[in-house]
Amino acid sequence: MGMGRFALLIVETISVSFIGSAKSSRLAHVPSFLTPPPSRIGAAATKLMSAPSSSNPLGDRGFPEPLLLGSGSFTRKLILGEMGIPYHKIVRPIDEKSIGDRSSDEPADLVLTLAKAKMDHLVAEIQGSGNCDGDLPEREGDATNEWIVLTGDQVVTHCGRILEKPESVEEAKRFVAGYAEQPCSTVGSCVLTHLPSGIQVSGVDTATIHFKQTIDGSLVDKLLREEAPILSCAGGLMIEHPLVREHIENIQGTEDSVMGLSKDLVLRLLDELRRSLDDRDL
């Protein structure tokens, strides 16, 4: 792909696994933030963020509510809200730096490994240690121990390197300046687990972003002056910010996918999870 274009490449693989059992197959999802104005979005980017859905994808599929969201990402919360999915945030951090090899792992494998590690830790906290008892939402009825849990992870790749959250302003400037020379890609994952069965599905998708050559490290200073949380974003990317939008040449794909959580993929995962649960009960 040539410079001056943004191509969103979506890779969806579906898998189902049973935590703690010999049954296992796989599935995966991806990334980041808001898109530029409609005039700068490619023809494939036909969907913009929509009004909140009047339906409830959890209730429609017979799943318990609310979904337990093991992520502090604002954009994931925004997308779930627009989908009409009630959620309750419950985050238990892990030492992400100790997991995987950033120099050799494939980005899709890394983000999926990290999201599953977050899931394993959170599920252990919910089911085993009891450390989440005070944080779980109160519910009535027979399904008080049944939950759908969601975790995710995201990295940015550039020139064959995996970029995570910048550790300093100087590193953020190096990241951003490099985007003028070569496109960067966002790679993100989403994992859903049903409790108490342990049945799990997951997915990964990837977006490749082409910036204009006008982008440089000085953009970081401008963003910081506006108190933009650039150091909390993988690769220092904040595509939703107006100061960044003016440097984007083209983006193809849906806004929710660019933001880090494909609505279509979430629905597919919920459907796959429903089928897996129904097959188990046959």
Side-chain angles (χ1 to χ4, degrees):
M1 289 176 281
M3 288 296 296
R5 295 183 55 208
F6 175 106
L8 180 62
L9 308 176
I10 298 179
V11 179
E12 295 184 1
T13 59
I14 297 186
S15 67
V16 183
S17 62
F18 297 77
I19 295 177
S21 79
K23 284 188 177 182
S24 179
S25 60
R26 280 178 58 165
L27 183 130
H29 168 123
V30 164
S32 207
F33 308 85
L34 299 177
T35 59
S39 62
R40 296 181 185 173
I41 299 177
T46 54
K47 286 186 181 179
L48 295 177
M49 298 303 288
S50 57
S53 172
S54 59
S55 64
N56 177 350
L58 288 182
D60 292 347
R61 291 162 176 79
F63 286 130
E65 304 169 23
L67 175 141
L68 297 183
L69 175 60
S71 169
S73 165
F74 170 77
T75 53
R76 291 191 182 105
K77 292 187 287 185
L78 176 65
I79 291 168
L80 290 174
E82 291 184 338
M83 293 180 70
I85 296 179
Y87 65 87
H88 178 84
K89 187 180 77 171
I90 179 167
V91 180
R92 293 295 184 270
I94 62 172
D95 181 7
E96 298 183 30
K97 295 293 185 181
S98 67
I99 299 173
D101 186 341
R102 276 70 177 165
S103 64
S104 61
D105 287 351
E106 289 294 326
D109 292 338
L110 176 63
V111 294
L112 193 56
T113 297
L114 285 166
K116 289 187 174 183
K118 294 175 186 178
M119 179 66 74
D120 290 345
H121 180 61
L122 183 54
V123 167
E125 293 281 286
I126 293 172
Q127 292 187 315
S129 66
N131 290 337
C132 294
D133 289 350
D135 293 333
L136 294 174
E138 295 184 2
R139 295 187 306 188
E140 297 180 356
D142 298 331
T144 54
N145 293 320
E146 185 183 10
W147 304 99
I148 304 298
V149 189
L150 184 152
T151 58
D153 193 76
Q154 181 177 339
V155 297
V156 170
T157 63
H158 183 248
C159 295
R161 296 175 55 226
I162 292 177
L163 310 181
E164 297 181 283
K165 297 173 184 176
E167 296 184 355
S168 66
V169 172
E170 290 70 27
E171 186 172 48
K173 289 182 177 181
R174 289 197 297 272
F175 287 171
V176 172
Y179 302 152
E181 303 301 326
Q182 294 290 335
C184 62
S185 297
T186 53
V187 184
S189 60
C190 176
V191 178
L192 293 178
T193 298
H194 172 267
L195 300 179
S197 72
I199 295 176
Q200 185 178 101
V201 294
S202 56
V204 172
D205 59 63
T206 302
T208 302
I209 311 168
H210 293 255
F211 285 95
K212 298 177 181 178
Q213 294 187 353
T214 55
I215 193 169
D216 59 33
S218 66
L219 176 61
V220 172
D221 291 325
K222 297 175 183 178
L223 291 168
L224 290 174
R225 283 197 292 271
E226 296 199 4
E227 299 182 348
I230 191 167
L231 298 183
S232 298
C233 302
L237 280 178
M238 291 192 68
I239 296 175
E240 76 275 22
H241 200 287
L243 290 175
V244 179
R245 292 181 183 185
E246 64 187 58
H247 297 285
I248 296 175
E249 182 66 29
N250 198 1
I251 294 181
Q252 296 176 334
T254 61
E255 185 169 352
D256 48 272
S257 183
V258 177
M259 288 173 65
L261 192 61
S262 163
K263 294 177 182 178
D264 181 65
L265 180 58
V266 170
L267 295 176
R268 292 187 186 198
L269 291 176
L270 288 172
D271 286 338
E272 183 68 21
L273 193 56
R274 182 72 271 166
R275 288 193 295 271
S276 298
L277 287 167
D278 291 343
D279 290 344
R280 179 201 61 169
D281 296 333
L282 291 178

